Amino acid sequence: MPLGDSITLGGNGGYRNNLYTGLQENNCGVSYVGTLFDPSTRVADKDHEGHSGLTIGNIASNVNGWMATTQPNIILLMAGTNDTAWWTAENAEQIGARHNALIEQIRTARPNAWIFVASIAPQASAIIQPNNIDRAVLTQQFNAVIRRNVDARIAAGQRVRFVDVNAALTTADLYDGIHPTEAGQAKIAQRFLDAIRAALGPA
């Protein structure tokens, strides 16, 4: 289940195209699941759970129903861009706590599933209110909290892994200061592919 916001939806399938092809090239059977169907996706499998504009809270409010419908055994979670890009009264720790609660919610609903948790893409510098903070800085702070929380889950033996999407991108990979270009989406796909291979590939 590719799960997230407009970056998961992507243009013409976004990272889902390259990831699908990459998994097939690695002899990995793959079937995307989700309650959404994107006819513009370039690969044959067009199902996903990428909802434009959704925040962490929006995803949390709906994800149990989505998972009950589709029964995913692998979840690719990338969420938080809409919590950091436009307006927020929270700091990175508070946003990260809600993000961590979402991970736990997914684990509770699908206890045997693998959850690949991505950092979010960098954002072009802009001061957002009411915190009067540069969203570029807030993004990096938030990603550090995600990594810390996921590392704790890994140490506890959970089927959760960190995917450092942010490290693969710069603002040059964004077409509007927020959303990755097609080339940027390909870099995201490679990070997910590497993480899936490391966790689930042959020994």
Side-chain angles (χ1 to χ4, degrees):
M1 174 185 278
L3 174 62
D5 50 37
S6 59
I7 297 177
T8 297
L9 168 61
N12 300 314
Y15 79 75
R16 294 178 286 112
N17 294 319
N18 292 72
L19 178 58
Y20 185 85
T21 302
L23 288 167
Q24 288 191 318
E25 289 173 349
N26 280 269
N27 300 312
C28 178
V30 54
S31 175
Y32 286 146
V33 298
T35 61
L36 300 179
F37 181 88
D38 178 14
S40 67
T41 303
R42 292 195 177 114
V43 293
D45 196 329
K46 304 176 190 299
D47 300 318
H48 68 98
E49 209 66 76
H51 298 256
S52 183
L54 263 56
T55 63
I56 294 166
N58 298 145
I59 293 171
S61 295
N62 292 279
V63 72
N64 284 57
W66 297 335
M67 291 190 296
T69 299
T70 59
Q71 301 288 302
N73 51 29
I74 296 174
I75 295 102
L76 312 179
L77 174 64
M78 183 161 49
T81 294
N82 290 307
D83 298 81
T84 55
W86 320 108
W87 184 97
T88 183
E90 295 180 311
N91 60 33
E93 291 289 342
Q94 292 168 313
I95 300 169
R98 290 190 293 103
H99 184 275
N100 199 39
L102 175 59
I103 297 172
E104 189 60 27
Q105 180 181 346
I106 294 169
R107 284 190 67 246
T108 300
R110 301 293 295 166
N112 296 317
W114 281 89
I115 308 170
F116 292 88
V117 181
S119 55
I120 63 171
Q123 297 175 20
S125 180
I127 302 300
I128 57 172
Q129 299 302 325
N131 285 358
N132 197 36
I133 188 173
D134 189 331
R135 67 186 183 187
V137 174
L138 180 61
T139 295
Q140 297 304 327
Q141 293 171 343
F142 171 57
N143 283 330
V145 176
I146 294 176
R147 181 189 286 272
R148 186 187 71 211
N149 290 338
V150 172
D151 284 348
R153 292 181 177 280
I154 293 170
Q158 298 178 11
R159 292 186 171 190
V160 181
R161 294 294 183 269
F162 181 69
V163 183
D164 200 353
V165 161
N166 184 275
L169 304 172
T170 70
T171 53
D173 294 302
L174 312 173
Y175 64 80
D176 61 355
I178 298 290
H179 298 89
T181 61
E182 188 168 334
Q185 288 279 14
K187 294 178 182 179
I188 293 173
Q190 188 63 50
R191 287 296 172 120
F192 271 122
L193 179 62
D194 291 345
I196 292 168
R197 289 185 65 190
L200 305 178

